[in-house]
């Protein structure tokens, strides 16, 4: 059968005719100065030169195809964390690949004013350094402090993004509080208000007392409490106990009966307006429609029937507090119940019995329990598993209260968001997040967009009235305009109208929701970037903000610009530590990528963590947890070893970023630094090998390529195809695996070793064939690797020795740079699957020889004879053809094809057709055998135990339903490898 390689020869004979009859000139390049890979040396000054030369700037006059993205804007006062590193690396790889394919790429950077996060950081800083609060300073002075903080720290994260190698177009950098974006935010609000899509009403909101503001669901961290737990809260001198459920009775009026209800928040009973039971609950259905007596308000409350009640939970009866529970609020509206607010914005009790009035809610809790006990209504207190909603910014416990707020009416907007997905105009990848999208888009709840903060976009709306009556709200930014517009509704002269601008600010997600088009020039400058780059080609971000940000960009983009802001969405996972725990300050397991890049000692880690506490970034509790985490995880290496940017990027993308969670292991990152060094050494080896040809010249053709030249070229063709396909599908981990397998396992570990005998032989043609192959494989593989390892490849590709015309390609190697992506069609003709299968048996044979040598303690300095007895004619032919390479790869002296001598040889079967024998040198043959068998038996036993643990995992339903899919895939791969290894060891033991 004619092979793919032979087909290629016949098809390209004319193309290579000139090359086959002429010599080629060797192009020597600058030698590598350092003996080993040093990240600091390789990365130095490169990014500055790239930015200075405008390498990442989009070209408005270019006729190339357009590709545009925006960087999800990080907090202006933030610092780079591994979540940013993952997100930015994913986007950077996409942007660099698009450039290498000839696109005009705009990847636009920006920072977010991040209202809650920034205000919280600055407040903690002021408390820590000046022992003051924003309330003591006042709003004007506090805003000045925020601006000072921004000026000092605002560029930190941008500089860190540069250090990570992010190829952003900094000439177009944006900020969500600059004048252009502020104008866009105001315009968006006013337009939506005029369309009737923004309105103001009183509703239940998530309230943080410490911030004195509403917060969105994403700013809530739901902490699981397993039982009675003391929790320190900001502003409290003693801990508050959670994890208890309290049962008390409401007396049925005109009866001796009572209904017992249970709650984890007994203080809210002051605002109860009903008791609900299931209509089908036989215990209570006779009470539906009757009334119970509230012991403190001294008023009756109805017993209502509602199917939301779980008959099996607790007593089957539920207290209803519409003012402080979103579920209860909805039930209250359905049953027309009154709303009694009993906790105010400061967390104190209001509108209640004087016994509890103005007491803090937790003080009130203790007093209510005591009073209920005294009057004989407290029935029980039990341990209870519960979810405690805490503000992720302050650590305070969140509660609900009714408050006038601004809302976006989402019902009609959401219908369009559903439609664009279902008709294929919008594509969300991976597909599994389509369901999440629809859950958000099919939710009719309106979006609360106002916040009671001091830092942010002030709501562009004025409360207009005459004598504080007949109030009308006008959306605009100018008081005179507000009065003029209000006069049309209030039927009076503008001068008689009192207009006060709302002091609230807009939700950061609102200003971020218009970011894709506002950053491109909307609404005023539509002729330049907006016209060329909007809508965006892609939105890439973490899946946890699909609803909070991506969905809102779509609904606002459709409404305000008339088009989707982007047609493709790619969602990646959330960064976790090596044990799979989500990284957060509360867990103490956050790893600074800068520390991974530069390395840091355990002592310096501690000093840095303590300083973050002094600066107000970490609380005392968060600091303790972080120090404990560092000690537990990095004591073995006395800190975090220096890994460099390239190893960090490659490690992040070696995991399946499409998974819900992406684990990061510092030690894997350090291993990838060693991979970088392996690449460095392979270029040094190539330079040395080319140097051996300096004084020789020979004419070679494609026919002079050796067995292993053809093999590595076939493997190269497979890698290029695999990488291109994987990158197109955002399967970066598969691309990374293909690159590592080719470069590390096949090129460095096998092919380079296979060329040594060729360069040392007297056959100059063989040396030249290896040189052409080395140059082509290195150049191509490093160009494929370039989007992952940007600094190393830019350092090494120009230093790979080359030829004026390389016989491997039908193009000139000298014209191929880091920015040229290897195309599948340029290499596919080199793919020879029959040769790969053939060589696989040869390499397995050599691996078994090495395993036998290792088992019997034969050093590589001692070169024994080997005997290979096989009935496989192809294998025998390959062994004979590559005799010198076989001996070099196995570190042996003599290869005998045939049965091994009976004395002083140990043997093991490769399979039914082939048996390998290795000579045992020395006089102590029997003891060597016994020692090896003992070692082998121990190894087999250990492997069997390891296999049993792995197999037990896959029989556990909890593992199958909770462990991330990518982790399961890796475990299955490990299971398969261990089974194969065990099988081989048992074969060795049987001989």
């Amino acid at each position: 059968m004619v092979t793919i390689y032979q087909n290629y020869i016949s098809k390209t004979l004319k193309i290579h005719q000139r090359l086959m009859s002429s010599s080629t000139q060797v192009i020597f390049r600058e030698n590598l100065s350092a003996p080993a890979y040093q990240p600091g040396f390789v990365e130095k000054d490169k990014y500055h030169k790239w930015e200075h030369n405008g390498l990442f700037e989009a070209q408005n006059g270019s006729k190339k195809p357009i590709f545009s993205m925006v960087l999800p804007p990080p907090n202006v006062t933030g610092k780079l964390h591994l979540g940013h590193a993952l997100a930015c690396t994913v986007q950077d790889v996409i942007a660099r690949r698009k450039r290498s394919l000839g696109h005009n790429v705009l990847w636009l950077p920006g920072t977010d004013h991040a209202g809650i996060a920034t205000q919280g950081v600055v407040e903690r800083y002021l408390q820590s350094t000046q022992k003051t609060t924003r309330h003591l300073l006042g709003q004007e002075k506090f805003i000045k402090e925020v601006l000072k903080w921004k000026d000092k720290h605002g560029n930190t994260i941008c500089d860190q993004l540069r250090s990570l190698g992010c190829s952003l177009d900094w000439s177009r950098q944006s900020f969500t509080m600059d004048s252009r974006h502020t104008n866009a935010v105001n315009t968006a609000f006013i337009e939506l208000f005029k369309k009737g899509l923004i309105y103001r009403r009183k509703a239940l909101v998530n309230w943080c007392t410490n911030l004195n503001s509403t917060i969105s669901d994403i700013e809530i961290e739901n902490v699981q409490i397993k039982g009675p737990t003391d929790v320190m809260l900001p502003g409290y001198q003693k801990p508050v106990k959670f994890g208890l459920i309290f049962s008390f009775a409401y007396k049925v009026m005109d009866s001796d009966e009572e209904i017992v209800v249970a709650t984890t928040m007994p203080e809210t009973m002051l605002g109860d307006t009903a008791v609900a039971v299931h209509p089908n609950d036989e215990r209570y259905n006779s009470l539906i429609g009757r009334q119970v007596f509230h012991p403190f308000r001294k008023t009756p409350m109805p017993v209502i029937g509602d199917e939301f009640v779980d008959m099996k939970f607790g007593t089957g009866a539920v207290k209803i507090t519409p003012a402080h529970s979103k579920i209860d609020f909805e039930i209250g509206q359905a049953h027309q119940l009154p709303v009694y607010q009993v906790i105010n914005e400061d967390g104190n009790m209001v509108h209640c019995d004087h016994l509890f009035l103005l007491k803090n809610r937790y003080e009130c809790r203790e007093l209510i329990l005591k009073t209920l006990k005294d009057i004989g209504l407290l029935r029980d207190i039990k341990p209870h598993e519960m979810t405690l909603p805490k503000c992720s910014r302050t650590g305070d416990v969140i509660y609900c209260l009714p408050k006038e707020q601004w809302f976006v009416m989402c019902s009609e907007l959401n219908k369009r968001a559903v439609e664009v997905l279902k008709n294929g105009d919008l594509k969300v990848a991976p597909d599994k997040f389509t369901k999440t999208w629809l859950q958000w888009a099919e939710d009719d709840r309106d979006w609360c967009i106002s916040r009671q903060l001091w830092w942010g976009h002030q709501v562009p709306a004025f409360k207009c009235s005459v004598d504080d009556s007949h109030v009308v709200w006008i959306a605009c930014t100018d008081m005179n305009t507000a009065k003029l517009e209000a006069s049309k509704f209030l039927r009076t002269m503008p001068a008689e109208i009192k207009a006060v601008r709302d002091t609230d600010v807009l939700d950061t997600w609102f200003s971020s929701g218009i970011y894709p088009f506002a950053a491109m020039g909307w609404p005023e400058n539509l002729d330049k970037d907006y016209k060329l780059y909007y809508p965006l080609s892609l939105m890439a971000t973490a899946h946890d903000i699909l609803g909070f940000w991506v969905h809102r960009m779509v609904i606002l983009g459709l409404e305000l610009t008339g088009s989707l802001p982007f047609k493709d969405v790619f969602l990646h996972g959330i960064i976790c530590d090596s044990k799979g725990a989500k990284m957060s300050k509360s867990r103490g397991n956050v790893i600074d990528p800068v520390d991974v890049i530069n390395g840091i000692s355990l002592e310096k880690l501690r000093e840095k963590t303590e300083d973050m506490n002094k600066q107000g970034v970490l609380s005392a509790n968060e600091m303790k947890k972080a120090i404990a985490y560092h000690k537990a995880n990095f004591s073995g290496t006395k800190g975090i070893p220096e890994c460099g940017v390239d190893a960090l990027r490659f490690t992040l993308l070696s995991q399946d970023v499409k998974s819900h969670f992406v684990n990061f292991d510092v030690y894997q990152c350090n291993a990838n630094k060693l991979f970088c060094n392996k690449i460095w050494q392979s270029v040094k080896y190539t330079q040395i090998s080319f140097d051996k040809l300096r004084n020789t010249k020979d004419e070679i053709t494609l026919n002079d390529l050796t067995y292993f030249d053809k093999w590595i070229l076939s493997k190269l063709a497979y890698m290029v195809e695999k990488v291109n396909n994987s990158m197109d599908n955002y399967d970066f981990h598969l691309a990374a695996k293909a690159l590592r397998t080719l470069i590390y396992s096949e090129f460095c570990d096998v092919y380079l070793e296979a060329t040594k005998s060729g360069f040392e032989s007297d056959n100059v043609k063989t040396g030249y064939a290896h040189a052409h192959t080395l140059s082509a494989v290195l150049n191509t593989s490093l160009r494929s690797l370039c989007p992952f390892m940007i600094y190393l490849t830019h350092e090494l590709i120009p230093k790979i020795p080359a030829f004026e015309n390389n016989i491997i390609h039908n193009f000139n190697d000298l014209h191929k740079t880091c920015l040229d992506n290897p195309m599948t069609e340029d290499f596919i003709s080199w793919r020879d699957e029959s040769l790969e299968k053939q060589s696989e048996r040869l390499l397995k044979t050599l691996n078994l020889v090495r395993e036998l040598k290792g088992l019997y303690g034969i050093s590589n300095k001692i070169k024994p004879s080997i005997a290979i007895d096989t009935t496989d004619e192809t294998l025998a032919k390959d062994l004979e053809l590559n005799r010198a390479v076989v001996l070099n790869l196995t570190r042996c002296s003599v290869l005998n094809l045939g049965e091994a001598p009976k004395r002083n040889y140990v043997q093991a079967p490769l399979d039914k057709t082939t048996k390998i024998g290795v000579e045992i040198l020395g006089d102590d043959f029997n003891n060597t055998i016994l020692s090896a068998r003992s070692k082998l038996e121990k190894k087999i036993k250990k492997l069997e135990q390891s296999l049993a643990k792995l197999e037990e995992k896959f029989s556990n339903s909890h593992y199958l339903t909770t462990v991330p899919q990518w982790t399961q895939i890796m475990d299955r791969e490990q299971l398969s490898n261990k089974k194969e290894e065990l099988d081989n060891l048992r074969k060795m033991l049987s001989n």
Side-chain angles (χ1 to χ4, degrees):
M1 184 180 286
V2 179
T3 64
I4 293 172
Y5 172 70
Q6 289 168 325
N7 282 331
Y8 174 76
I9 291 292
S10 63
K11 288 178 182 177
T12 58
L13 186 60
K14 290 183 180 179
I15 295 173
H16 293 289
Q17 192 170 11
R18 181 177 59 83
L19 297 177
M20 294 177 75
S21 59
S22 63
S23 61
T24 54
Q25 182 182 349
V26 181
I27 309 298
F28 292 96
R29 302 270 174 79
E30 178 189 350
N31 283 336
L32 295 177
S33 55
Y37 168 67
Q38 298 171 14
F41 169 77
V42 170
E43 294 163 17
K44 188 178 181 182
D45 296 330
K46 279 190 173 59
Y47 193 93
H48 173 73
K49 291 176 183 175
W50 296 338
E51 187 178 349
H52 179 74
N53 293 331
L55 197 61
F56 309 137
E57 290 182 15
Q59 305 301 317
N60 283 1
S62 172
K63 293 183 180 180
K64 296 178 180 179
I66 297 293
F67 182 83
S68 55
M69 287 191 304
V70 294
L71 174 76
N75 294 356
V76 67
T77 57
K79 289 186 178 180
L80 193 68
H81 57 67
L82 273 177
H84 290 131
L86 174 65
C88 294
T89 302
V90 165
Q91 292 165 63
D92 189 50
V93 166
I94 293 170
R96 287 175 181 272
R97 175 169 162 75
K98 289 295 182 181
R99 287 194 196 95
S100 74
L101 293 173
H103 287 71
N104 176 23
V105 174
L106 170 60
W107 184 24
L108 190 142
T111 48
D112 192 347
H113 67 281
I116 290 177
T118 302
Q119 180 165 308
V121 166
V122 176
E123 283 195 81
R124 288 195 294 274
Y125 170 75
L126 292 172
Q127 181 64 46
S128 176
T129 58
Q130 300 179 26
K131 306 300 181 188
T132 190
T133 68
R134 66 183 168 105
H135 297 288
L136 291 173
L137 285 175
Q139 186 167 356
E140 187 177 343
K141 288 184 179 179
F142 177 75
I143 294 299
K144 287 181 180 179
E145 289 294 334
V146 175
L147 291 171
K148 279 198 290 185
W149 176 277
K150 174 193 169 293
D151 291 340
K152 183 177 179 181
H153 300 281
N155 288 324
T156 299
I157 198 160
C158 294
D159 292 338
Q160 290 176 330
L161 290 171
R162 287 179 170 92
S163 71
L164 197 63
C166 297
S167 56
L168 291 151
D169 184 348
W170 294 104
S171 68
R172 289 172 164 87
Q173 184 174 351
S174 178
F175 173 48
T176 59
M177 280 284 280
D178 63 25
S179 58
R180 188 178 69 175
H181 197 85
T182 298
N183 176 56
V185 170
N186 290 336
T187 302
F189 183 95
I190 293 166
E191 280 194 24
L192 293 170
F193 180 86
K194 288 179 177 178
K195 290 181 177 183
L197 293 172
I198 285 182
Y199 65 92
R200 185 177 176 87
R201 71 176 169 89
K202 195 169 190 177
L204 249 60
V205 295
N206 301 318
W207 187 262
C208 174
T209 300
N210 197 261
L211 280 174
N212 230 237
S213 173
T214 58
I215 65 171
S216 68
D217 290 342
I218 199 171
E219 275 114 15
I220 296 176
E221 182 181 2
N222 290 308
V223 179
Q224 297 303 313
I225 303 289
K226 297 296 183 182
T229 306
D230 286 335
V231 179
M232 288 300 301
L233 299 178
Y236 291 87
Q237 301 301 316
K238 62 178 184 176
V240 178
K241 192 178 292 293
F242 294 93
L244 295 170
I245 191 164
F246 308 89
S247 299
F248 65 93
Y250 276 123
K251 296 292 185 180
V252 179
M253 294 185 71
D254 302 322
S255 166
D256 294 332
E257 295 178 87
E258 65 180 25
I259 297 181
V260 177
V261 295
T263 179
T264 57
M265 298 164 55
E267 65 276 15
T268 62
M269 67 87 62
L270 295 174
D272 286 357
T273 58
V275 173
V277 297
H278 196 283
N280 299 330
D281 193 332
E282 294 180 356
R283 294 171 295 177
Y284 303 115
N285 54 17
S286 64
L287 297 177
I288 295 174
R290 295 180 65 182
Q291 293 182 321
V292 294
F293 184 72
H294 195 291
F296 301 119
R297 284 206 309 271
K298 311 294 185 183
T299 57
M301 298 189 310
V303 179
I304 60 175
D306 197 296
E307 292 184 351
F308 102 94
V309 178
D310 183 355
M311 290 186 285
K312 296 179 181 178
F313 181 78
T315 64
V318 181
K319 60 189 284 299
I320 303 298
T321 319
H324 300 291
S325 163
K326 290 182 180 179
I327 295 174
D328 291 6
F329 183 79
E330 291 178 7
I331 294 169
Q333 285 190 314
H335 292 270
Q336 299 180 325
L337 298 175
V339 178
Y340 296 147
Q341 180 181 350
V342 293
I343 307 175
N344 68 8
E345 295 171 3
D346 296 321
N348 297 328
M349 307 308 295
V350 292
H351 308 133
C352 60
D353 188 285
H354 72 279
L355 186 64
F356 312 112
L357 191 63
L358 296 182
K359 284 189 167 48
N360 174 273
R361 59 181 293 199
Y362 298 116
E363 291 178 71
C364 178
R365 176 178 296 185
E366 294 177 10
L367 186 55
I368 277 182
L369 291 170
K370 179 180 183 301
T371 307
L372 286 171
K373 184 178 180 181
D374 290 344
I375 61 178
L377 293 178
L378 185 64
R379 294 291 175 264
D380 202 359
I381 300 176
K382 290 182 180 179
H384 179 67
E385 286 191 24
M386 62 178 291
T387 300
L388 190 64
K390 297 186 73 176
C391 176
S392 61
R393 306 296 182 183
T394 66
D396 204 359
V397 173
I398 300 303
Y399 59 100
C400 295
L401 55 79
K403 191 170 180 62
E404 269 203 8
Q405 300 285 280
W406 291 100
F407 289 87
V408 174
M409 192 180 295
C410 293
S411 181
E412 291 303 315
L413 298 178
N414 281 344
K415 285 178 184 177
R416 295 176 70 185
V418 171
E419 184 182 340
V420 293
L421 187 76
K422 288 186 174 179
N423 67 20
D425 290 340
L426 179 71
K427 293 181 175 63
V428 176
D431 291 339
K432 62 186 176 183
F433 291 113
T434 298
K435 184 178 179 182
T436 309
W437 177 271
L438 292 175
Q439 286 173 345
W440 272 90
E442 291 174 346
D443 188 345
D444 280 338
R445 284 180 297 178
D446 292 342
W447 170 21
C448 176
I449 58 170
S450 46
R451 300 288 181 267
Q452 292 65 51
L453 302 172
W454 289 359
W455 171 246
H457 294 284
Q458 189 175 355
V459 174
F462 288 81
K463 183 180 181 180
C464 300
S465 63
V466 179
D467 298 327
D468 293 325
S469 62
H470 300 96
V471 172
V472 63
W473 282 91
I474 303 296
C476 63
T477 57
D478 175 71
M479 182 182 290
N480 291 329
T481 302
K483 290 182 177 182
L484 183 62
E485 288 296 312
S487 67
K488 299 173 185 178
F489 298 94
L490 298 176
R491 301 182 183 278
T492 187
M493 298 297 291
E496 297 176 5
I497 295 173
K498 178 182 177 183
V500 180
R501 186 162 180 177
D502 193 347
T503 56
D504 283 358
V505 300
L506 289 165
D507 178 15
T508 301
W509 295 111
F510 184 82
S511 59
S512 298
I514 67 167
Y515 187 74
F517 43 98
M520 295 296 175
W522 183 90
E524 293 180 339
N525 191 355
L526 305 181
D527 294 330
K528 294 181 180 179
D529 286 356
Y530 183 88
K531 184 177 181 180
L532 192 59
Y533 300 109
Y534 184 83
L536 305 176
S537 306
L538 178 71
M539 172 50 63
T541 189
H543 69 73
D544 62 333
I545 54 174
L546 172 62
F548 295 98
W549 190 42
V550 182
H551 165 256
R552 287 165 178 172
M553 284 188 284
V554 166
I555 62 174
L556 292 178
L558 286 169
E559 185 61 36
L560 295 170
T561 72
S563 67
L564 280 166
F566 34 77
K567 292 187 177 180
D568 289 289
V569 177
F570 174 62
L571 302 168
H572 58 75
I574 308 301
I575 200 74
C576 299
D577 64 18
S578 59
K579 296 177 179 65
K582 185 178 176 181
M583 288 190 179
S584 68
K585 290 189 293 185
S586 62
R587 289 189 177 93
N589 62 347
V590 174
I591 299 173
D592 187 340
V594 175
D595 293 339
V596 179
I597 293 168
N598 299 328
I600 188 170
S601 69
L602 207 57
E603 183 182 351
K604 291 288 183 185
L605 264 176
R606 184 184 185 94
E607 290 175 6
K608 180 179 176 179
T609 305
E610 289 172 344
D611 186 59
M612 289 172 73
N613 169 245
K614 290 175 184 175
Q615 294 294 322
V617 177
L618 293 178
S619 67
N621 190 46
E622 289 167 345
M623 176 187 70
K624 289 176 184 176
K625 286 186 177 181
I627 291 171
Y629 180 83
H630 298 155
K631 188 175 180 180
N633 288 272
F634 306 132
S635 290
T637 49
K638 297 181 179 178
I640 299 174
E642 178 196 24
C643 298
V645 172
D646 289 324
L648 172 61
R649 289 167 61 101
F650 195 78
T651 303
L652 288 167
L653 295 181
S654 293
Q655 297 282 326
D656 182 3
V657 299
K658 291 180 180 178
S659 295
H660 265 73
F661 303 103
V662 179
N663 294 359
F664 179 81
D665 189 341
V666 166
Y667 298 104
Q668 183 189 356
C669 194
N670 191 45
N672 282 324
K673 177 192 171 186
L674 301 179
F675 175 37
C676 293
N677 186 56
K678 195 88 167 177
I679 298 169
W680 184 275
Q681 298 304 331
S682 72
V683 175
K684 283 186 73 72
Y685 172 82
T686 303
Q687 290 178 341
I688 293 167
S689 300
F690 265 69
D691 200 52
K692 294 177 182 178
L693 306 175
R694 193 178 289 274
N695 298 319
T696 64
K697 183 175 287 189
D698 206 342
E699 296 178 2
I700 67 163
T701 71
L702 292 169
N703 294 327
D704 293 310
L705 294 178
T706 69
Y707 178 98
F708 277 97
D709 293 333
K710 298 170 190 174
W711 170 77
I712 196 63
L713 288 169
S714 182
K715 290 292 188 180
L716 178 73
Y718 172 77
M719 181 277 288
V720 170
E721 181 180 17
K722 185 70 175 178
V723 167
N724 283 331
N725 290 341
S726 300
M727 296 283 272
D728 288 342
N729 294 317
Y730 305 133
D731 290 323
F732 305 111
H733 63 297
L734 299 181
K737 185 178 180 180
L739 282 161
R740 188 179 173 90
T741 299
L742 184 279
I743 298 171
Y744 202 117
S745 304
E746 294 164 349
F747 182 70
C748 292
D749 285 357
V750 177
Y751 180 70
L752 291 189
E753 293 297 322
T755 63
K756 288 181 178 178
S757 57
F759 280 116
E760 291 168 3
S761 73
D762 295 331
N763 188 337
V764 178
K765 284 182 181 289
T766 301
Y768 267 92
H770 289 339
H772 279 263
T773 307
L774 279 171
S775 178
V777 175
L778 263 179
N779 180 283
T780 304
S781 57
L782 292 194
R783 282 190 289 118
S784 292
L785 180 66
C786 186
F788 293 82
M789 294 187 174
I790 52 175
Y791 292 112
L792 181 65
T793 52
H794 278 75
E795 177 75 20
L796 293 182
I797 289 175
K799 295 180 180 176
I800 299 170
F803 289 90
E804 191 178 51
N805 291 293
N806 193 316
I807 67 167
I808 306 305
H809 301 285
N810 58 2
F811 54 82
N812 191 337
D813 242 355
L814 296 176
H815 297 158
K816 296 297 171 181
T817 70
C818 303
L819 301 181
D820 293 308
N821 182 73
M823 304 303 291
T824 301
E825 55 267 28
D826 289 332
F827 296 90
I828 196 64
S829 296
W830 286 105
R831 188 78 197 280
D832 188 343
E833 293 183 60
S834 63
L835 176 64
E836 288 182 28
K837 288 178 183 177
Q838 189 176 319
S839 61
E840 187 178 347
R841 280 187 55 73
L842 175 61
L843 292 173
K844 281 186 176 180
T845 302
L846 305 187
N847 285 337
L848 185 53
V849 172
R850 286 196 287 261
E851 284 178 18
L852 281 170
K853 287 180 65 182
L855 176 63
Y856 291 97
I858 303 171
S859 165
N860 281 334
K861 294 179 181 178
I862 301 170
K863 295 190 174 182
S865 297
I866 55 173
I868 302 176
D869 186 17
T870 182
T871 58
D872 183 336
E873 293 181 5
T874 303
L875 177 59
K877 182 181 175 182
D878 289 347
L879 287 165
E880 184 60 53
L881 177 66
N882 297 289
R883 185 178 286 269
V885 175
V886 168
L887 293 173
N888 184 50
L889 288 172
T890 59
R891 303 293 190 269
C892 293
S893 58
V894 178
L895 167 62
N896 296 308
L897 292 176
E899 192 175 349
K902 302 219 178 197
R903 288 179 56 79
N904 295 342
Y905 268 77
V906 291
Q907 297 184 71
L910 179 69
D911 51 35
K912 292 179 180 179
T913 66
T914 306
K915 184 176 281 190
I916 285 106
V918 177
E919 181 185 16
I920 300 293
L921 300 174
D923 298 328
D924 204 6
F925 179 80
N926 289 333
N927 283 338
T928 300
I929 299 294
L930 289 172
S931 175
R933 287 186 70 85
S934 175
K935 183 164 64 172
L936 191 56
E937 286 168 352
K938 288 178 183 176
K939 194 171 182 179
I940 287 172
K941 186 175 180 181
K942 189 174 180 181
L943 196 54
E944 286 173 339
Q945 291 172 344
S946 178
L947 257 175
K949 287 181 181 178
L950 270 174
E951 287 173 335
E952 187 180 348
K953 275 186 180 181
F954 288 102
S955 64
N956 188 323
S957 60
H958 180 73
Y959 170 86
L960 295 172
T961 54
T962 60
V963 173
Q965 186 180 7
W966 177 240
T967 304
Q968 291 190 39
I969 291 171
M970 292 179 67
D971 284 346
R972 285 194 186 279
E973 192 173 320
Q974 189 181 12
L975 182 68
S976 177
N977 292 338
K978 285 183 181 292
K979 282 183 176 179
E980 186 178 352
E981 183 184 358
L982 183 61
D983 187 49
N984 290 336
L985 292 176
R986 284 170 174 165
K987 283 179 183 177
M988 292 167 68
L989 186 64
S990 65
N991 283 269

